[in-house]
Amino acid sequence: MAYKSPGKGYADVADHFRALIKGGELAPGDTLPSVGEIREQFDVAAKTVSRALGVLKSEGLVTSRGSLGTVVAKSPIVVTGTDRLNRMARNGMRYAPGETSTGHRVLSRSVYDAEVCQALDLEPGDEATIRIRVFRQDDQPTSVGVSVYPPATVNVVPELSEDVRMTRQFDELYSERSGQEVTKGQRLAYARHASQDELEALEIAAPPHIAVSVLVTKVAFHDEDRPLAYWEDVYAPGAQVPISE
């Protein structure tokens, strides 16, 4: 973590450690450097370090542990969807410490959802490949990830239709094989009521007459000619989700 640049402010210091936590390079329970070490690392005053740690504490990313100093909070944030791509590009880590995924399914289905059809330029009833998995932190479900791929994408990356975990991200494989750059669209977040399937995947026991609100993020990917994928992530109630581009 060697890093030293004069003129850094408390926001820069906070952003540095926030990125390490989001990237999984600092895991829950890991101890941050001491105030003195951070001062030396960034060439800043003790007050600057104190303000930076205060920001991280207010975001629920770290906590004070007395003589142990400042440590990363347990399961502080859920990193999935396009944030997972950003993390892999940064440090190659597919999963953060304590994170895994279960319930992997690959389906070939006719698509009638108007939003998905519009995003992928499909006609209602057209077939697409759908990949579903449940992300977990410390064996607790945190989100359900759904990715939908039209036939043109699967033709280039046939691994998407195989009922196995992908060892590389589809955008890398698509770019290598097609010679076209994959671009990510605007990521959007909104709230809605969870479906029964989503409640079961997130292990939420709610009576049928009770509506459970969940946060959903969605994003589409394109090349120069066509849409390539539609991703949707449904987060468990109470999950802390970083919203960034």
Side-chain angles (χ1 to χ4, degrees):
M1 291 170 50
Y3 182 97
K4 184 174 181 179
S5 178
K8 293 293 179 180
Y10 77 92
D12 300 295
V13 177
D15 187 61
H16 174 77
F17 289 105
R18 185 187 298 113
L20 292 178
I21 294 170
K22 285 179 60 176
E25 294 157 86
L26 283 174
D30 283 353
T31 303
L32 269 63
S34 68
V35 171
E37 290 170 333
I38 297 175
R39 288 187 61 192
E40 173 66 21
Q41 184 176 338
F42 289 89
D43 193 15
V44 295
K47 182 178 180 180
T48 300
V49 177
S50 179
R51 292 185 68 184
L53 295 179
V55 169
L56 297 175
K57 289 175 184 175
S58 70
E59 295 176 357
L61 298 178
V62 301
T63 186
S64 296
R65 289 284 179 84
S67 61
L68 293 178
T70 302
V71 302
V72 179
K74 183 177 178 62
S75 307
I77 52 178
V78 179
V79 175
T80 187
T82 57
D83 285 316
R84 183 177 298 277
L85 292 181
N86 296 338
R87 181 175 68 196
M88 291 184 66
R90 172 187 168 91
N91 57 29
M93 292 181 65
R94 193 170 185 84
Y95 293 101
E99 184 185 37
T100 186
S101 59
T102 58
H104 289 247
R105 288 184 290 161
V106 180
L107 313 170
S108 181
R109 292 288 187 272
S110 298
V111 178
Y112 292 94
D113 185 285
E115 188 172 339
V116 177
C117 287
Q118 182 179 16
L120 295 179
D121 197 20
L122 297 174
E123 294 294 329
D126 285 352
E127 282 206 348
T129 297
I130 304 171
R131 298 180 66 90
I132 304 171
R133 59 279 193 202
V134 179
F135 293 100
R136 310 176 74 89
Q137 181 72 38
D138 299 326
D139 203 35
Q140 297 299 311
T142 56
S143 67
V144 179
V146 179
S147 51
V148 186
Y149 302 93
T153 306
V154 178
N155 288 339
V156 178
V157 189
E159 295 95 326
L160 291 169
S161 65
E162 300 172 2
D163 196 4
V164 295
R165 297 190 189 190
M166 298 282 289
T167 58
R168 295 178 61 194
Q169 292 294 343
F170 95 94
D171 56 330
E172 294 181 356
L173 295 172
Y174 186 91
S175 292
E176 286 181 5
R177 296 168 184 177
S178 69
Q180 295 201 58
E181 181 181 359
V182 177
T183 60
K184 177 183 67 176
Q186 175 65 53
R187 186 185 185 199
L188 299 174
Y190 62 98
R192 63 165 169 77
H193 292 155
S195 68
Q196 187 59 41
D197 286 344
E198 291 164 348
L199 291 175
E200 291 176 1
L202 293 172
E203 300 177 8
I204 298 173
H209 62 282
I210 298 296
V212 178
S213 295
V214 289
L215 176 70
V216 181
T217 61
K218 62 179 182 178
V219 67
F221 298 81
H222 304 77
D223 66 8
E224 295 179 359
D225 302 316
R226 61 178 65 85
L228 301 177
Y230 172 88
W231 286 12
E232 184 174 280
D233 290 278
V234 181
Y235 299 90
Q240 296 186 56
V241 184
I243 302 298
S244 60
E245 289 300 325

